[in-house]
Amino acid sequence: HIYTNRQLLSILFLYWEVAQKTLNGSQFYSYSVCNVGEREQDNWLRTTFIQRRPSASRVMVELQFVVRDCNSFDGASLTCKETFNMYTSEADADVGTTFRKGQFKKVTTIAPDEITRKNLQPVNTETRVVDGLSLKGFYLAFQDIGACVAILSVRVYYKTCPATVKSLASFPETVAGSQALSKVDGVCMENAVSEKVPRIYCTMDGEWVVPVSQCQCKPGYEEIKEVCQECQPGYFKAAVPSEKCELCPANTQGTGYGDAACPCTPGFYRAEDDPPTGPCSGLPGAPQDLQATTQLSSGRVLLTWSPPGDTGGRADLTYSVECRRCDGAACQACGEKVRYEPASTGLTETRVSVSQLDAHLNYTFTVNAHNGVSAAASKASPRAHGPPSTAALTTSLQYTDPPTVTSMRLDERKPTSLSLSWVVTPRHRAPPRSFRYELTYRKKDDNLNMTTYTVLVLDRTSVRVSDLAPATTYLFRVQPITEGGAGGASIEDEFKTLADGNTNFPALVLCSLFSRRNSHSRQGPEDAYFSTSEQLKPLKTYVDPHTYEDPNTAVLKFASEIHPNHITKQKVIGAGEFGEVFRGILRAPGRTEGPVAIKTLKPGYSEKQRQDFLSEASIMGQFSHQNIIRLEGVVTKFKHAMIVTEYMENGALDKYLRDHDGEIPSIQLVGMLRGISGGMKYLSDMSYVHRDLAARNILVNTNLECKVSDFGLSRVLEDDPEGTYTTSGGKIPIRWTAPEAIAYRKFTSASDVWSFGIVMWEVMAFGERPYWDMSNHEVMKAINEAFRLPAPMDCPSAVYQLMLQCWLQERAKRPRFPDIVSLLDKLLRSPDSLKTIADFDPRVSIRLPSTSGSDGSPFRSVSEWLESIKMSQYSENFACAGMVTMEQVLHMRNEDIKNIGVRLPGHLKRIAYSILGLKDQTSTLSVFAM
Ligand code: AMP
């Protein structure tokens, strides 16, 4: 805003003159005065009346002028000035030419920055502020007091902050005030809102600063280029603070331009607490695979199902169960008598147990799936499209009483056996095919703390219980059990065996072979067995290195010293308890050069550790047998003690078998077992009890010869990772150890035989872990309850029978190693004897890995089951073969599993075992039945 023109100043001047000047090449009108030689100059030049905009109380005055140097006037320097003054006078109206000096107030003295020297006439520009104006207008006046000055221009202006739009608010043009910041209120633009009045500040310099309280587009509008524009169709903006319109969420649709929300598409709903901006969801589909399992004893039905394939896109799935009972054609709701565990509605798990059902009725159970929008959907108008509010599957169930065992009868009595039978009611109804009886018995007068229960699972109502003690009273209990769960009422009775007269041996497959031994009293130390044929031979006996006062003497007695220079270590092949195990070469004078294994003692050992380390050599050095690892010698006279043994190329047996799962024919496996049994017979002959016989402690060479290794005094205690501390403080590899050795540390060759049975199982199962993932505690409990490992797949029946013999509770009845050697020899001589394969007999089963989901619930799908046994890669094979429910899977035979393309023996085995386990799931464990 400039008030300026060349005439502006022409109205009133005293001694000032108007002239056209040429300055620095340009033409200017100027008002000038130059009375430098005269005293007391007071020459005024006044502007016309300058109308003031009411709000412009502060104006700027910009002057362009030229001042001459007083020194350029000879003799005038006394009176000559180089400054002039600026005055102002306010008025409400133009006073014309009336001029009264006294009405003017001095604003400032103006001095040039540069003055004119010689011919140079620099133009000065100075700006001064005139503030605090309040009347309608004002005059400016310039007072010359004796300078030589020419004013070229006067610009009078004020500053404004221009009209603007900031943050969707518009602010008017505002004159910059005399305060640093003046507050300016604005208004939100169209379709924008703000909580408080939008505000901004205008500075003295006409700049907008510090906007506060912004405007935002209202719902349905978004800001595009500082304007609130409607959301496009299919987009919405629900809240003021959101910036942009968003795409309508899943299962919703827009209504047109400017949507603040997107309503659900028909058939989809929002639950009450769903955000109105979120997606809508549908109703769940029907629950799948609804199955009812009866638990006969308790009037209980277990309903299980799988979640619906379509959850409506929600996670808040619940289920409710309806029960209807039908007596003939008349059906009605089950009513309140029936109990549901955990509840009949609001179920989050896919199972419910229904109890207090009556017998002989047809029950129909309906399971409905609900989700968060079920309520909203049923509120919606009946004309609303969409699926029904519930989906259901129905299963019917004929619920019957479990048969009850009513009486037990003694059919035959002998010194070591009793034949029993029992009567079942109701008789008229044939018990289901899957019906079995659990017969539990124990000696009547056993000390209760020490009672041994024997449990047999039978599919007949009679049994001959053998292996009993003569003239002893036994307590028997029979309980019916079904596939669906535990059984009905049990009955208990006691019967006594006859006094010993003529001993009857149990009619076991291997009995004829071993019974001979039973009647002989054994000779020699308790801890080892002697075969009758060898009894007369004087036997070399193993000497415990501990019997030597100085264990170093023992080492030297049984092992030859090797100079370390004769040993070359080549490669680490394993880690022993005391240090690394190397493969190397032994080049000692007088010996054939050859590969050896070198066990080292790691530095920092104590004397005790050194002795323990070398004790293995003291023991090994006493043995010389094809199937015992051979000691080559020891290094004891040098700092780094070493034990040098023959080198076994194929390493530990368990790993070797796992690496060759299914590749080795049975006869060869039996051959390996024969070797091990030979080594064990040798050890037992020497009265050496190994205590840690396990496939991991058998080494295999290139000829697949198996040799027993891992001797040494501390090994069971320290070395074996399988070792578990027992209550008595010792460390015992539970799953390989006989019960009496676990219970009261009775380690004998008979307990080694038990371990050999486990090794047999490991070998026939290609290195499978005995008892799979059962805990040590579960293993001990199971063994104590007469449960035994089932036959490995494709295991010759005779071999499995031998295992079972090795695992007889009573250690005296177990075969001895010489018996085992001769039986295995016999089997190897007539390979046909290996052709009969032991059954996967469900009566001889054991709880298997992953018989149910991790929470104990049944598997909901075949793929879930396969995943749990890490066999997911076969999901497609099962699906393609139409095996889509667990029910179907349970009926698969080994042949079927092979046929759908599971070829690898290990996998086949894993799957078959798991199915076996699933079948027997309800009885959890079962029994080695005689
Ligand atoms: P050990 O301390 O005896 O259990 O040995 C540890 C590991 O070293 C074994 O599991 C084998 O893998 C390996 N090893 C020990 N002795 C021999 C041997 N004589 N020949 C080959 N490997 C052996």
Side-chain angles (χ1 to χ4, degrees):
H1 290 259
I2 302 165
Y3 302 93
T4 181
N5 62 47
R6 289 181 181 92
Q7 288 79 44
L8 175 74
L9 300 168
S10 64
I11 298 299
L12 194 87
F13 48 93
L14 294 168
Y15 303 105
W16 289 72
E17 56 189 39
V18 185
Q20 204 177 12
K21 282 201 167 189
T22 306
L23 256 178
N24 302 335
S26 306
Q27 292 243 305
F28 285 93
Y29 280 99
S30 70
Y31 295 86
S32 56
V33 62
C34 197
N35 300 334
V36 291
E38 293 159 48
R39 289 169 182 276
E40 315 224 340
Q41 292 297 304
D42 184 22
N43 308 317
W44 289 76
L45 173 69
R46 194 207 72 182
T47 63
T48 47
F49 185 60
I50 302 170
Q51 285 259 347
R52 192 177 64 85
R53 180 172 167 173
S55 52
S57 60
R58 175 185 153 92
V59 299
M60 263 53 67
V61 179
E62 183 199 88
L63 294 173
Q64 284 190 308
F65 59 95
V66 178
V67 178
R68 291 267 308 260
D69 181 1
C70 285
N71 293 328
S72 61
F73 303 106
D74 293 339
S77 57
L78 277 182
T79 49
C80 177
K81 301 281 183 316
E82 288 180 346
T83 62
F84 62 97
N85 298 319
M86 187 170 90
Y87 285 75
T88 174
S89 167
E90 281 196 273
D92 268 332
D94 192 345
V95 295
T97 53
T98 319
F99 174 69
R100 266 186 260 128
K101 250 199 269 181
Q103 288 175 338
F104 281 81
K105 282 189 301 190
K106 182 171 169 184
V107 178
T108 182
T109 299
I110 312 258
D113 289 335
E114 292 185 79
I115 47 181
T116 311
R117 288 198 181 86
K118 299 193 182 133
N119 293 325
L120 265 176
Q121 297 200 327
V123 176
N124 290 280
T125 305
E126 293 283 327
T127 304
R128 293 291 183 273
V129 175
V130 179
D131 208 348
L133 299 172
S134 59
L135 301 187
K136 291 199 171 134
F138 62 96
Y139 296 94
L140 292 174
F142 303 96
Q143 180 198 29
D144 165 54
I145 47 169
C148 189
V149 55
I151 296 178
L152 308 181
S153 81
V154 178
R155 253 174 95 225
V156 180
Y157 60 93
Y158 60 88
K159 290 186 178 173
T160 62
C161 289
T164 187
V165 169
K166 288 222 172 348
S167 305
L168 292 174
S170 61
F171 297 93
E173 185 195 52
T174 302
V175 176
S178 32
Q179 287 148 4
L181 294 174
S182 30
K183 190 162 75 181
V184 179
D185 287 349
V187 287
C188 288
M189 307 199 25
E190 212 184 345
N191 297 317
V193 287
S194 76
E195 281 177 13
K196 291 193 205 141
V197 179
R199 175 164 295 169
I200 199 166
Y201 291 86
C202 179
T203 66
M204 280 163 125
D205 288 330
E207 276 166 21
W208 293 113
V209 291
V210 205
V212 280
S213 165
Q214 318 192 332
C215 300
Q216 290 166 301
C217 293
K218 54 187 196 187
Y221 291 83
E222 66 185 337
E223 183 190 333
I224 295 174
K225 296 187 187 142
E226 307 208 24
V227 176
C228 287
Q229 295 193 1
E230 287 177 321
C231 296
Q232 294 294 307
Y235 287 77
F236 78 108
K237 197 189 93 168
V240 170
S242 328
E243 281 185 1
K244 291 280 152 208
C245 298
E246 287 170 55
L247 202 61
C248 284
N251 306 321
T252 66
Q253 56 192 17
T255 60
Y257 284 94
D259 273 342
C262 303
C264 296
T265 348
F268 292 89
Y269 311 90
R270 285 191 176 102
E272 243 166 40
D273 43 6
D274 283 351
T277 51
C280 295
S281 28
L283 293 165
Q288 299 180 356
D289 306 331
L290 178 59
Q291 293 191 3
T293 319
T294 37
Q295 290 168 325
L296 291 180
S297 60
S298 48
R300 189 184 285 272
V301 169
L302 179 67
L303 298 177
T304 57
W305 59 91
S306 307
D310 175 13
T311 63
R314 303 183 65 93
D316 53 0
L317 216 57
T318 61
Y319 306 94
S320 67
V321 189
E322 278 166 34
C323 166
R324 287 181 68 73
R325 48 187 259 173
C326 299
D327 203 351
C331 293
Q332 63 187 92
C334 294
E336 283 176 6
K337 196 195 137 212
V338 171
R339 297 200 29 196
Y340 301 88
E341 186 59 39
S344 63
T345 57
L347 294 164
T348 49
E349 304 273 309
T350 55
R351 56 190 292 153
V352 66
S353 153
V354 188
S355 57
Q356 311 218 333
L357 302 174
D358 291 325
H360 319 304
L361 289 177
N362 259 329
Y363 282 93
T364 302
F365 298 99
T366 307
V367 176
N368 296 306
H370 311 266
N371 66 13
V373 300
S374 295
S378 59
K379 255 194 252 164
S381 88
R383 274 177 300 138
H385 316 259
S389 66
T390 55
L393 255 184
T394 304
T395 184
S396 292
L397 154 107
Q398 177 79 46
Y399 170 66
T400 54
D401 271 339
T404 307
V405 179
T406 48
S407 68
M408 211 187 307
R409 207 176 57 202
L410 179 66
D411 296 332
E412 191 186 19
R413 200 148 72 104
K414 299 223 166 132
T416 60
S417 72
L418 293 168
S419 295
L420 307 173
S421 61
W422 48 90
V423 177
V424 178
T425 55
R427 277 172 207 267
H428 58 272
R429 207 179 299 131
R433 210 162 26 87
S434 57
F435 225 85
R436 282 182 273 147
Y437 300 93
E438 190 179 83
L439 176 76
T440 315
Y441 64 90
R442 65 174 174 92
K443 280 187 191 160
K444 190 188 176 191
D445 41 2
D446 257 359
N447 168 351
L448 270 182
N449 294 332
M450 294 272 296
T451 306
T452 309
Y453 285 93
T454 307
V455 187
L456 305 181
V457 175
L458 303 148
D459 55 5
R460 287 159 286 126
T461 55
S462 61
V463 68
R464 194 169 80 107
V465 185
S466 39
D467 269 352
L468 301 177
T472 309
T473 306
Y474 286 86
L475 283 175
F476 292 88
R477 195 165 69 93
V478 183
Q479 182 172 31
I481 50 175
T482 68
E483 232 167 9
S490 65
I491 185 162
E492 205 165 18
D493 224 329
E494 57 179 74
F495 303 105
K496 192 173 177 183
T497 48
L498 282 180
D500 206 355
N502 55 339
T503 308
N504 271 355
F505 293 108
L508 292 168
V509 182
L510 300 166
C511 238
S512 51
L513 214 110
F514 305 132
S515 55
R516 180 168 49 98
R517 219 67 77 219
N518 289 346
S519 49
H520 285 278
S521 65
R522 281 193 287 112
Q523 297 189 2
E526 237 265 277
D527 280 3
Y529 297 128
F530 293 83
S531 107
T532 33
S533 53
E534 286 159 333
Q535 248 179 64
L536 303 173
K537 276 192 253 162
L539 274 171
K540 194 179 150 207
T541 315
Y542 148 81
V543 183
D544 185 342
H546 274 152
T547 55
Y548 286 78
E549 216 161 274
D550 177 5
N552 295 318
T553 321
V555 184
L556 292 177
K557 185 165 182 326
F558 299 120
S560 59
E561 181 77 20
I562 298 176
H563 194 283
N565 285 352
H566 298 149
I567 303 168
T568 316
K569 286 188 217 148
Q570 289 174 319
K571 185 183 162 217
V572 176
I573 50 169
E577 180 211 348
F578 294 99
E580 282 156 332
V581 182
F582 294 83
R583 185 191 66 197
I585 302 285
L586 177 65
R587 288 187 193 87
R591 294 183 193 235
T592 37
E593 175 181 323
V596 284
I598 304 150
K599 284 193 174 190
T600 59
L601 177 59
K602 59 187 163 237
Y605 51 84
S606 66
E607 180 54 27
K608 163 93 173 48
Q609 281 171 322
R610 188 183 125 94
Q611 285 171 10
D612 283 350
F613 170 71
L614 290 172
S615 72
E616 175 162 23
S618 307
I619 295 166
M620 218 189 284
Q622 298 182 46
F623 304 140
S624 166
H625 189 273
Q626 175 82 0
N627 298 103
I628 307 287
I629 199 85
R630 185 180 72 247
L631 179 72
E632 298 288 357
V634 287
V635 178
T636 62
K637 298 190 174 144
F638 293 82
K639 188 166 157 230
H640 297 292
M642 289 180 237
I643 298 177
V644 182
T645 66
E646 68 180 303
Y647 179 61
M648 300 293 281
E649 296 82 353
N650 281 316
L653 175 61
D654 59 337
K655 178 163 188 306
Y656 178 80
L657 289 169
R658 281 198 283 274
D659 293 345
H660 296 85
D661 193 351
E663 292 169 14
I664 308 168
S666 285
I667 186 137
Q668 197 164 355
L669 295 175
V670 175
M672 294 168 101
L673 289 173
R674 160 65 182 83
I676 301 166
S677 69
M680 289 310 296
K681 170 178 175 295
Y682 176 85
L683 292 180
S684 70
D685 285 351
M686 289 212 32
S687 306
Y688 179 81
V689 180
H690 190 287
R691 297 181 180 219
D692 195 9
L693 179 56
R696 63 181 169 280
N697 289 327
I698 306 289
L699 294 168
V700 187
N701 66 13
T702 31
N703 303 327
L704 298 197
E705 274 176 317
C706 289
K707 308 200 180 194
V708 181
S709 85
D710 215 41
F711 304 99
L713 294 176
S714 63
R715 69 200 192 284
V716 180
L717 298 174
E718 314 289 345
D719 192 14
D720 194 330
E722 283 293 347
T724 299
Y725 285 100
T726 61
T727 43
S728 55
K731 223 177 161 194
I732 287 176
I734 298 293
R735 39 197 92 218
W736 281 265
T737 306
E740 73 277 3
I742 297 173
Y744 47 99
R745 305 188 64 72
K746 186 78 187 160
F747 285 97
T748 59
S749 290
S751 63
D752 277 353
V753 164
W754 178 291
S755 310
F756 180 78
I758 303 290
V759 172
M760 290 179 74
W761 191 91
E762 288 183 277
V763 168
M764 301 315 291
F766 287 96
E768 181 81 74
R769 180 171 171 75
Y771 311 97
W772 301 274
D773 57 357
M774 286 170 75
S775 71
N776 279 342
H777 184 80
E778 286 171 320
V779 170
M780 287 192 282
K781 188 163 172 285
I783 291 300
N784 204 32
E785 290 169 359
F787 300 104
R788 296 294 184 265
L789 282 165
M793 201 168 64
D794 295 337
C795 176
S797 181
V799 175
Y800 181 56
Q801 288 303 320
L802 178 58
M803 289 180 208
L804 292 176
Q805 295 299 313
C806 292
W807 301 328
L808 283 174
Q809 178 75 26
E810 216 174 305
R811 68 177 193 280
K813 294 212 173 118
R814 293 174 205 153
R816 323 290 155 88
F817 281 115
D819 304 325
I820 295 173
V821 170
S822 43
L823 179 81
L824 292 175
D825 274 339
K826 213 173 110 194
L827 295 178
L828 289 169
R829 275 197 303 273
S830 49
D832 276 357
S833 64
L834 299 175
K835 287 216 172 115
T836 315
I837 300 302
D839 269 352
F840 274 136
D841 182 349
R843 286 180 305 167
V844 188
S845 70
I846 194 133
R847 204 192 61 167
L848 287 149
S850 306
T851 52
S852 61
S854 53
D855 54 355
S857 61
F859 292 109
R860 294 183 201 133
S861 64
V862 175
S863 53
E864 184 183 308
W865 162 66
L866 285 172
E867 193 176 329
S868 83
I869 56 170
K870 302 198 174 70
M871 289 283 119
S872 288
Q873 66 267 43
Y874 294 110
S875 283
E876 218 160 278
N877 301 49
F878 278 79
C880 291
M883 293 291 148
V884 288
T885 68
M886 286 309 290
E887 182 60 30
Q888 290 171 304
V889 168
L890 288 183
H891 288 109
M892 290 178 83
R893 292 161 305 135
N894 292 350
E895 269 317 296
D896 303 330
I897 306 170
K898 255 184 222 164
N899 287 342
I900 68 167
V902 182
R903 294 278 147 70
L904 287 178
H907 294 176
L908 192 58
K909 203 162 60 176
R910 199 171 181 90
I911 291 169
Y913 271 136
S914 176
I915 294 178
L916 173 60
L918 287 168
K919 279 191 194 157
D920 220 40
Q921 190 172 12
T922 45
S923 56
T924 315
L925 289 159
S926 69
V927 167
F928 156 38
M930 307 268 181

